[in-house]
Amino acid sequence: MTEAVDTRGRLLDTALGLYAEHGVEGTSLQKIADALGVTKAAVYYYFKTKDEIAHAVIEPGLRDLRAAVTAAEAQRRHGARVDTMLDGLADVIIRHRTLVRLFNGDPGLQRIVEASVREYGGVAERMIAVLVGPEPTPEARVAAFVAALGMSGTGGAPEVADLDDDQLRTALLDAGSRAVGRPRRR
Amino acid sequence: MTEAVDTRGRLLDTALGLYAEHGVEGTSLQKIADALGVTKAAVYYYFKTKDEIAHAVIEPGLRDLRAAVTAAEAQRRHGARVDTMLDGLADVIIRHRTLVRLFNGDPGLQRIVEASVREYGGVAERMIAVLVGPEPTPEARVAAFVAALGMSGTGGAPEVADLDDDQLRTALLDAGSRAVGRPRRR
């Protein structure tokens, strides 16, 4: 059992590494098997298609995002909900930095993520609803999207790949908080 | 001559309309010819490949963006440069709203835009340099990307497609300005 879990985990790590090089579309079960040094049948034991593997690769990121949204929704006041949401989003972006980076440059991965987000109980819509708050004015709606899309887009941008996790996390959270009108104190 | 210009213009409008339905990859010269009610040879007179057409479709947007960057660079003080840049970016997003919307959902269009941006004298890098200003701290760099990616990503988001141009423009400019630490007064 432990060995099975390990193999599955190694398989997903290997797939993520290959995505960086070949994209999701260009990463066949055979390529993953070759990189792992196993037969294609061994990969097939865990996953039947390359889409299944891609779904499994992004699943931890979506699970963490859902947990962050749930934590934000549990707050009472709108301000605390927004702060908790942006803090959680920054955490998810940093924790899954490789995945976020690949996402920005890989249409194949974008397709899989979009399908998964839909399956994942509308986690993106819930995040936006928390950020927008009780008064969905045009200003509030646009600010919510600028913060969320700006933070995730920037987190994966090659131009900030030189920043370490702490620098990037703090700067993303600062800019996103300002965008929704809740500048952070230092 | 005027007729030729008109035909070329109609051809590009038709292509943009077909992109919304079939994506860039799925919009052949034949499809464009059929939609225009002309022969494929007539389309071929103006453009040899579907990539050439896609380049021509996005060219006005890139030209407007370059003009906005140039106007911002002409300002003396950093604050005025940032304000002019974000104002110009909001204008470009609104003026080319259909294109921006398609861009977000069409990997084929993203590929063409990325190639064109490179050819277009690094217009994206110049925009970011203006927003970052004289001190390229991690905070300033990240804030510049959050504003630029957040505004353009949101401008094309289907979730704000119901807003009219003025509402969207003002809200984008407000959120982007806050993100870079220059909240606008009303």
Side-chain angles (χ1 to χ4, degrees), chain A residues 104 107-108 110 114 125 138-139 141-147 149-151 153-154 157 159-163 167-168 170-172 174-176 178-181 186, chain B residues 104 107-108 110 114 125 138-139 141-147 149-151 153-154 157 159-163 167-168 170-172 174-176 178-181 186:
Chain A
N104 284 8
Q110 288 167 21
E114 271 160 35
E125 288 80 0
E139 292 74 24
R141 288 167 55 205
V142 167
F145 278 101
V146 169
L149 296 178
M151 287 172 71
T154 303
E159 294 89 346
V160 299
D162 60 307
L163 301 186
Q167 285 176 318
L168 182 58
T170 303
L172 285 176
D174 282 351
R178 283 194 304 265
V180 294
R186 294 296 185 82
Chain B
N104 283 10
Q110 289 167 20
E114 271 160 35
E125 288 79 0
E139 291 75 24
R141 289 166 56 204
V142 167
F145 278 101
V146 169
L149 296 178
M151 288 171 71
T154 304
E159 294 88 346
V160 300
D162 61 308
L163 301 186
Q167 285 176 319
L168 181 59
T170 303
L172 285 176
D174 282 350
R178 282 195 304 265
V180 295
R186 292 296 185 82

